[in-house]
Amino acid sequence: SQKIEQNSEALNIQEGKTATLTCNYTNYSPAYLQWYRQDPGRGPVFLLLIRENEKEKRKERLKVTFDTTLKQSLFHITASQPADSATYLCALSYSSASKIIFGSGTRLSIRP
Amino acid sequence: AAGVIQSPRHLIKEKRETATLKCYPIPRHDTVYWYQQGPGQDPQFLISFYEKMQSDKGSIPDRFSAQQFSDYHSELNMSSLELGDSALYFCASSSTGGGNSYEQYFGPGTRLTVT
């Protein structure tokens, strides 16, 4: 079965720096790789989606890359702010209207 | 903008009781998903419905059942509750039209505590 690993359980960085989170998966590549943000006790919030034939996607301070050869996605937050502190979930989906398989998440803390 | 609505937000039940969780998707979304998230765990997919038909099934116990109604709202019925069923239950919805069918929008969740 598909296994998703996110680089670390927790990441602590200084405000203003770029946060880089890693997502690695086994087995076959998904059609779509997504990143969600989750705050404690709240539902995941969709951030970005990248397709298997795309290398990079940007949205404001966020950037996602997708390397199907390495079976890896990198998620970057530039000019990080304390408000970016949350758990970030990598998620895979294989077809339209199908389930999402989530990774275990990385808890990001941005210190002032 | 309208979001996914879940009710109740909190529910306390005793072992062996029954619980019903409700989900109202974003208007014009035709697909509903249910996820279970235990403490410190990532969300685990339970079941999904597209146009009122079950479209995918995950690790949903036989004690649980779900359906989607004609107005697209969905209910998750849980019977013979066990202590291990205590978790956050999320509903998500998506629209298969417009090319954004892979984006799922999550509700605030129902926190179920079984005592």
Side-chain angles (χ1 to χ4, degrees):
Chain A
S1 62
Q2 184 66 275
K3 190 177 176 185
I4 306 168
E5 290 182 352
Q6 296 193 234
N7 58 326
S8 57
E9 281 191 20
L11 191 62
N12 236 301
I13 67 166
Q14 182 77 40
E15 180 178 8
K17 301 289 186 184
T18 296
T20 298
L21 284 62
T22 306
C23 172
N24 294 288
Y25 59 91
T26 59
N27 299 339
Y28 43 95
S29 290
Y32 296 77
L33 191 145
Q34 307 180 44
W35 284 88
Y36 286 78
R37 168 185 172 141
Q38 187 173 28
D39 292 283
R42 294 178 174 265
V45 175
F46 171 79
L47 295 175
L48 275 174
L49 176 151
I50 188 165
R51 293 169 168 75
E52 62 178 331
N53 60 352
E54 296 177 321
K55 297 291 185 189
E56 183 179 299
K57 186 75 76 75
R58 291 176 185 259
K59 179 182 176 183
E60 298 173 353
R61 295 185 296 113
L62 309 180
K63 184 176 87 171
V64 172
T65 62
F66 192 9
D67 189 326
T68 55
T69 303
L70 294 177
K71 297 188 178 181
Q72 182 181 80
S73 174
L74 299 179
F75 177 76
H76 307 272
I77 305 176
T78 58
S80 60
Q81 305 165 0
D84 295 326
S85 299
T87 295
Y88 290 84
L89 299 163
C90 170
L92 311 183
S93 52
Y94 290 87
S95 62
S96 173
S98 75
K99 65 187 176 192
I100 288 177
I101 304 170
F102 284 96
S104 53
T106 296
R107 192 170 62 252
L108 177 66
S109 297
I110 310 297
R111 58 182 186 275
Chain B
V4 176
I5 297 171
Q6 290 188 248
S7 67
R9 293 294 309 278
H10 302 272
L11 193 55
I12 299 175
K13 291 284 186 178
E14 294 188 355
K15 280 196 309 184
R16 291 180 289 278
E17 283 193 319
T18 297
T20 297
L21 279 55
K22 296 186 179 183
C23 169
Y24 297 85
I26 292 172
R28 290 180 294 282
H29 278 196
D30 50 21
T31 307
V32 167
Y33 313 78
W34 286 97
Y35 293 84
Q36 177 192 58
Q37 187 172 30
Q41 313 258 318
D42 53 281
Q44 294 291 314
F45 172 74
L46 293 177
I47 196 167
S48 63
F49 293 87
Y50 167 67
E51 286 291 344
K52 291 151 279 184
M53 299 284 288
Q54 182 180 306
S55 54
D56 202 355
K57 193 172 180 181
S59 49
I60 183 169
D62 292 339
R63 300 176 289 110
F64 294 6
S65 65
Q67 57 181 323
Q68 186 179 31
F69 295 85
S70 57
D71 64 352
Y72 293 97
H73 94 272
S74 177
E75 294 183 3
L76 177 66
N77 298 294
M78 310 158 72
S79 62
S80 304
L81 288 169
E82 301 173 357
L83 295 178
D85 295 329
S86 295
L88 263 171
Y89 289 83
F90 291 108
C91 172
S93 73
S94 69
S95 170
T96 52
N100 294 329
S101 56
Y102 294 83
E103 300 172 19
Q104 295 184 15
Y105 295 86
F106 283 75
T110 293
R111 183 174 295 281
L112 173 66
T113 303
V114 181
T115 62

